[in-house]
Amino acid sequence: FYENYVGLKPVDNDWDYSALGNINGDEIIDAYDISFVARMLGTPITNPVSGVNGKIQMIPSKTDIKAGDIVTLDIYGIGLENVNAFSVEIPVDNDLFEIANFGSPTLASVFMRNFSKTRIHNNGAIDNYVCFTNVGKQNLINGSGSIATVTIKATADFTWDTKPTQAILVGQDLSTVDAIIDETTKPVAPDTENILGVDDIASITFDNDVKTD
């Protein structure tokens, strides 16, 4: 079921049929819905790890792209904690590029089940869904690093500026977190305090004497 319907939304003709699989009611078949079922299969989870955290960033292998270029998009996890499943929605502009490989695992996700898929919605929009989940009790993803890759082939010259429009991390206990990074927020410099004044620095002297006990 989920292999065919990942990424479905209310704009799609099959939504009425597939909506029963939208367990958390967020109007998209994503990692939460798939993980909800997959965690009941395989090795039983008796004491699920509590909570999930982290962010996801998409990093292209190049940004100045020419027609015909093959570009790898790294799905990079930052500060991941207890990730049992994840999905990322990437908008596709067919005037600029096409999907050559909709989602491959890295070492972090190689033992997870891959549900990645490119979907053409009935409103004409195209999205690529990178979606992986553990089946039953498996190792969780922790730390920072690449968790999946997507490959595109450019059909025109352009500068890459596409951002994920949805990203979710799911914990073993079905907790979730929005993993989209707000790249518009500028970092704020921490408050500083002058410990030494100009006069203090001027009074410091140095010599070549060697201190002995």
Side-chain angles (χ1 to χ4, degrees):
F1 176 87
Y2 284 116
E3 290 178 338
N4 295 323
Y5 295 107
V6 63
L8 274 178
K9 296 180 176 182
V11 298
D12 296 308
N13 291 341
D14 288 333
W15 177 254
D16 289 342
Y17 169 74
S18 63
L20 292 175
N22 184 216
I23 308 299
N24 61 346
D26 62 351
E27 298 192 331
I28 182 173
I29 304 297
D30 59 13
Y32 180 91
D33 309 302
I34 296 171
S35 179
F36 183 90
V37 175
R39 68 192 297 275
M40 295 186 284
L41 306 175
T43 303
I45 300 172
T46 53
N47 294 298
V49 177
S50 178
V52 66
N53 207 351
K55 293 293 183 181
I56 283 177
Q57 188 169 26
M58 184 170 63
I59 303 174
S61 56
K62 62 188 302 184
T63 55
D64 185 13
I65 299 172
K66 305 298 182 184
D69 283 352
I70 302 297
V71 180
T72 299
L73 309 176
D74 263 301
I75 307 302
Y76 197 87
I78 302 172
L80 302 182
E81 298 177 9
N82 307 325
V83 175
N84 192 58
F86 64 89
S87 58
V88 183
E89 179 185 75
I90 305 168
V92 177
D93 185 342
N94 262 358
D95 291 333
L96 300 179
F97 64 91
E98 59 188 27
I99 300 296
N101 185 322
F102 43 68
S104 294
T106 65
L107 287 176
S109 55
V110 67
F111 295 111
M112 304 177 86
R113 180 74 178 270
N114 186 354
F115 288 87
S116 301
K117 182 181 183 69
T118 300
R119 178 166 295 285
I120 302 175
H121 300 286
N122 284 106
N123 64 356
I126 305 174
D127 291 303
N128 190 76
Y129 294 93
V130 182
C131 185
F132 287 79
T133 184
N134 281 334
V135 177
K137 185 177 181 179
Q138 294 182 252
N139 291 333
L140 306 177
I141 302 178
N142 288 281
S144 299
S146 180
I147 57 176
T149 61
V150 174
T151 306
I152 67 167
K153 181 178 180 179
T155 55
D157 297 352
F158 70 102
T159 299
W160 181 266
D161 62 356
T162 301
K163 308 292 183 186
T165 45
Q166 190 250 28
I168 183 175
L169 302 175
V170 185
Q172 201 175 53
D173 61 347
L174 293 178
S175 55
T176 63
V177 65
D178 179 359
I180 290 286
I181 289 181
D182 183 2
E183 298 184 12
T184 63
T185 301
K186 295 182 179 179
V188 178
D191 294 333
T192 59
E193 180 181 356
N194 289 327
I195 304 300
L196 296 176
V198 174
D199 293 338
D200 296 320
I201 295 173
S203 66
I204 297 175
T205 59
F206 299 89
D207 57 45
N208 292 324
D209 293 340
V210 177
K211 182 178 179 181
T212 58
D213 295 332

